Amino acid sequence: MEKRSYRILFLWFYVVSLVLWIIEEAYTLTNPPEIFDRFRLLIATFESFIAISSFLAISILYRELKTEEGENTQAQTLILDLKRTNRILKNPESSFWIEVKSQMEAWKLTNTEKEIAILLLRGFSHQQIAGVRKKSLRTIENQTASIYEKSSMRGKLEFISFFLTPLLPEED
């Protein structure tokens, strides 16, 4: 089991334990104790407060964990982008196409989609790609839609920008 599933399992175990504890304390509070056991009522009230406070603490920690998870994902994405930029900038002429092909592999593009993606990067229109590949315009449009879906891009400009942005100098 991975680390996250252990955390979730522990969290559920803890929550169930707290619920059972609160039920037991509520039972103690609703059934009046014997005269010599009156201080037990005070202790049960205090323990119930601790249990309810624990729920609050758990919810706060859970929200923080989710926030940290999102920030971690963003940081990993940024690190991957910076690594890609560094690899391209070391040798722009050959590294660019190596990185393009590597990214296409990561997106799991088919060979046909890779060919079309390269033509898109070279600035070909759908009509031009259809002419070069001797396919219908509709086929090329479907294949480019598949490329954009697999790469999580919304269109040609975003797709091209993904590869060209690392080559641009930083703004002053």
Side-chain angles (χ1 to χ4, degrees), residues 4-47:
R4 185 173 178 203
S5 58
Y6 281 124
R7 288 180 185 163
I8 292 172
L9 184 63
F10 174 75
L11 182 65
W12 279 109
F13 176 75
Y14 186 69
V15 167
V16 168
S17 299
L18 283 175
V19 168
L20 291 175
W21 185 27
I22 290 172
I23 291 170
E24 184 268 329
E25 293 303 324
Y27 178 77
T28 302
L29 291 172
T30 56
N31 294 318
E34 305 282 330
I35 288 191
F36 64 89
D37 202 21
R38 292 271 179 195
F39 80 98
R40 175 90 172 106
L41 185 63
L42 180 63
I43 292 172
T45 304
F46 182 70
E47 288 176 337

Side-chain angles (χ1 to χ4, degrees), residues 116-129:
I116 292 171
I118 289 171
L119 293 173
L120 288 170
L121 286 172
R122 292 186 181 277
F124 283 52
S125 69
H126 286 160
Q127 292 85 358
Q128 290 170 325
I129 295 171

